[in-house]
Amino acid sequence: MRTILAVIALCSAVAGAALAAEPSPELIAYGKALVEAGDCAGCHTADPAKPFAGGKRIDTPFGAIFAPNLTPDRDTGIGAWRDADFVRAVRTGIAPDGSNYYPAFPYPYFTKMTKDDVLAIRAYLGTLAPVASRNKPPELRWPFGYRGLMRLWNAMYFKPGLFEPDQSKSAAWNRGGYLVTGLGHCGACHTPKNYFGADRNAQALSGNEVGGWFAPRLDGAVRTGLKSWSEEDITEYLQSGRNAKSHAGGPMAEVVVNSTAKMSDADVRAIAIYLKSLPSTRRETIVTPPDNAEMKAGQAVYAKLCIACHEADGSGAPRIYPPLPGNALLQSNNPSSTLRIILDGAHTVTTPRAPNTGEMPGYAKQLSDDEIAAVTNYIRNSWGNAGLLVTPAQVARARKREANGE
């Protein structure tokens, strides 16, 4: 009898422990908010009908990798993982089998996250519908396909450790720092990389080319950064994809729609507070204006095709047609985003806060490389703007990259 009672008691204890371990609705909701803040779906969803099932191709300078399955499928996803496996993977880039992930998975940023936040994310992912979707092997150039090389990369460039709050700053500033440098992994796109794909930390958030687009400076640079933006400007941009100074395009438009537009007002405001506090991390380039012939050629194209929406003075219609004077992205040293928009056109993203649409046609077929270079130089150097000279050869390369799907 005692044995039977002991067995019953043990079973009850196990059942109680299992019940106690069941994540609460509040924890799941918090995990969902963290997943959205980290824009996890942006990389881990290839098929919208199968969210987080992985398979999305991510191109890097070293070749392509494919995002893995994050659904709780036990064979092909993370359903069989222990909590410790998940924490180690997210914060140190090591898979349950001991192999190393590539830093296209931004564990160098996620290492700053608290264990509780990582487990909240796992709790939310555990509520997803399991999807059988086997992870695809990477397609990397030799020798980058050897995962063992990542141990050397980590030894040289990976610094594990939690976000360290600055006690002299406000709680909002520290929350913004946690989101920007950790969960939000903003530097993955906006920080320049060295030859081996590691961040140039001395130039943090000073702009970087990504997939044929230029992720602009988020530091305090006067002409090409956020010096002229207020906290309200940054908040509006992140919540709606537009403000009185600029519109989100390319990969950033996806980030707004899938991530920042869904974040809480407090978290978006915290990001704005943190970014506005950043100094310029490197000097802005001194620009020599284009010659008169180039400016006249560009003005002629502008008067024919652009003036109807952007006005003669470039003022446009804020939040509908972005203004050109003082536009930081437009004046960036790297003109990739500007060329991409002129060649392919643009579509204003819609969000709950800004549901109206806007369109700009592409001019790849209508304009030659010389004409696109001329109009680009004109708008980058009119109305007080100052941008480095763009050549027809740069336009040709942009066309080629677009044709190759880069």
Side-chain angles (χ1 to χ4, degrees), residues 59-103:
D59 290 303
T60 78
F62 312 101
I65 66 169
F66 297 87
N69 184 353
L70 295 186
T71 73
D73 182 74
R74 294 189 63 82
D75 294 324
T76 64
I78 62 172
W81 290 23
R82 301 172 302 163
D83 284 352
D85 293 332
F86 189 76
V87 172
R88 185 172 73 156
V90 170
R91 294 183 59 195
T92 66
I94 299 177
D97 64 3
S99 62
N100 291 89
Y101 291 116
Y102 294 103

Side-chain angles (χ1 to χ4, degrees), residues 14-377:
V14 170
L19 186 62
E22 194 72 22
S24 68
E26 292 78 14
L27 180 64
I28 293 171
Y30 180 57
K32 181 176 185 291
L34 293 173
V35 165
E36 290 173 346
D39 194 20
C40 304
C43 285
H44 290 274
T45 300
D47 181 355
K50 300 175 181 179
F52 298 96
K56 184 172 181 177
R57 180 187 178 96
I58 300 172
D59 290 303
T60 78
F62 312 101
I65 66 169
F66 297 87
N69 184 353
L70 295 186
T71 73
D73 182 74
R74 294 189 63 82
D75 294 324
T76 64
I78 62 172
W81 290 23
R82 301 172 302 163
D83 284 352
D85 293 332
F86 189 76
V87 172
R88 185 172 73 156
V90 170
R91 294 183 59 195
T92 66
I94 299 177
D97 64 3
S99 62
N100 291 89
Y101 291 116
Y102 294 103
F105 171 57
Y107 65 87
Y109 297 91
F110 292 165
T111 188
K112 297 180 182 293
M113 294 171 59
T114 66
K115 180 180 178 180
D116 286 345
D117 278 3
V118 176
L119 291 177
I121 289 173
R122 174 159 172 76
Y124 169 69
L125 294 176
T127 68
L128 301 174
V131 177
S133 177
R134 296 209 171 273
N135 298 327
K136 299 179 181 179
E139 298 175 357
L140 298 172
R141 297 193 307 276
W142 187 89
F144 303 110
Y146 293 100
R147 288 186 183 269
L149 292 175
M150 286 308 306
R151 296 175 185 171
L152 178 60
W153 191 96
N154 285 336
M156 295 176 63
Y157 302 117
F158 175 47
K159 183 180 179 181
L162 294 169
F163 174 77
E164 297 181 5
D166 185 337
Q167 300 302 323
S168 69
K169 303 291 187 180
S170 68
W173 185 95
N174 280 294
R175 177 64 176 172
Y178 178 78
L179 292 169
V180 169
T181 66
L183 177 60
H185 58 286
C186 302
C189 288
H190 291 271
T191 293
K193 308 295 185 264
N194 66 17
Y195 181 78
F196 297 104
D199 284 356
R200 296 184 185 274
N201 291 316
Q203 300 174 13
L205 302 178
S206 64
N208 181 51
E209 186 170 338
V210 181
W213 293 83
F214 183 69
R217 299 183 72 153
L218 300 182
D219 62 10
V222 175
R223 193 179 74 252
T224 59
L226 295 179
K227 181 69 173 179
S228 65
W229 288 36
S230 66
E231 291 174 6
E232 290 72 22
D233 290 331
I234 298 172
T235 299
E236 182 183 3
Y237 180 89
L238 294 175
Q239 291 182 324
S240 70
R242 64 188 87 168
N243 60 20
K245 297 180 180 294
S246 189
H247 285 202
M252 189 61 203
E254 297 178 15
V255 172
V256 169
V257 171
N258 297 323
S259 178
T260 58
K262 298 179 179 180
M263 294 172 64
S264 70
D265 292 348
D267 276 353
V268 174
R269 181 75 177 182
I271 290 174
I273 290 171
Y274 178 79
L275 291 179
K276 276 301 294 180
S277 75
L278 299 179
S280 177
T281 55
R282 56 175 171 172
R283 292 181 179 179
E284 292 186 294
T285 305
I286 297 175
V287 174
T288 301
D291 59 34
N292 289 335
E294 181 74 3
M295 290 294 284
K296 286 182 178 179
Q299 186 178 29
V301 176
Y302 184 87
K304 179 181 178 182
L305 299 175
C306 312
I307 200 170
C309 294
H310 289 285
E311 306 292 343
D313 61 358
S315 59
R319 301 175 182 83
I320 301 175
Y321 304 118
L324 304 178
N327 189 302
L329 178 60
L330 179 62
Q331 298 177 84
S332 297
N333 285 354
N334 187 318
S336 296
S337 292
T338 300
L339 293 177
R340 197 78 176 251
I341 290 170
I342 294 174
L343 286 167
D344 304 334
H347 174 79
T348 299
V349 299
T350 57
T351 61
R353 286 180 170 84
N356 58 307
T357 61
E359 298 282 347
M360 172 180 161
Y363 295 103
K365 295 181 180 179
Q366 191 172 349
L367 298 176
S368 68
D369 293 345
D370 290 279
E371 289 172 318
I372 289 178
V375 74
T376 302
N377 287 323

